[in-house]
Amino acid sequence: HGPDLPRVGDLRALAAESRRERLPVLLFFSTVGCPYCAQVRREHLGPMQAQGRAAGVLIREVEILGSHSLADLDGKPLRESALADRFNVKMVPHVELVDADLKPLGTPLIGIDAAGFYGDYLRNAIASARAKVSR
C-alpha cells in the first residue's frame, strides 16, 4: 500500500491553503489494490509528503471509486468518484497538478514508466506548476 497520503476533503480549505502558501495542489487519483499506485505512493509521493512544505506542493489523494464525500469549491457535497470524473480519470495512477481553482497546470502524469524516469517527470511537472502559481 505504501505510506498514507492525506485524502482530499474540503476543496474550499485546500484552495485557501494553496492561495495562502502559493503552492500548487497535486491530486493523486488512485484505487485500492493498484500496485502501480502503491509504487508511486511509496517511492515518490510519500517521501514528498514527509518533506512538508519543502516539497513545494500540497498533496491530496483521491480514491476514484470512493464514495467518500467532500466539499466542492462552492461548498456543495461531492463524491471522490465525481471529482475523478471531472478530471476525466480513466486509468490510475493519475497525477493532476492544479491551481487553487482546480484548473490544470499542465499535462497529467498517467500510469508509470518502465524506464525509471517517473521521478524526473514528476519533479519537472511540479516545478512547472510552482512557476505558474507563484506569478
Side-chain angles (χ1 to χ4, degrees):
H1 170 76
D4 284 335
L5 298 173
R7 289 285 284 274
V8 70
D10 185 338
L11 292 173
R12 295 166 302 180
L14 184 58
E17 186 179 3
S18 173
R19 282 191 183 89
R20 185 177 61 251
E21 302 290 334
R22 298 182 76 157
L23 292 174
V25 174
L26 184 154
L27 295 174
F28 174 56
F29 295 95
S30 66
T31 58
V32 173
C34 163
Y36 303 109
C37 299
Q39 182 181 351
V40 169
R41 193 182 296 108
R42 182 180 58 253
E43 295 177 9
H44 303 287
L45 300 181
M48 277 183 196
Q49 181 65 28
Q51 291 176 3
R53 295 283 179 264
V57 66
L58 303 173
I59 299 171
R60 295 296 182 275
E61 187 162 2
V62 182
E63 164 56 55
I64 69 164
L65 302 175
S67 59
H68 175 74
S69 187
L70 48 122
D72 204 346
L73 290 173
D74 61 5
K76 292 187 173 133
L78 178 73
R79 297 225 177 273
E80 285 177 293
S81 56
L83 184 60
D85 289 345
R86 185 179 295 174
F87 287 96
N88 201 31
V89 176
K90 303 285 187 226
M91 186 175 128
V92 292
H94 179 121
V95 169
E96 190 85 44
L97 286 144
V98 299
D99 65 13
D101 297 315
L102 299 184
K103 301 263 185 301
L105 294 170
T107 305
L109 294 176
I110 300 170
I112 193 163
D113 72 318
F117 295 117
Y118 189 86
D120 293 327
Y121 298 144
L122 184 60
R123 281 187 291 281
N124 289 341
I126 291 169
S128 174
R130 284 188 68 182
K132 290 174 184 170
V133 297
S134 68
R135 287 186 200 144

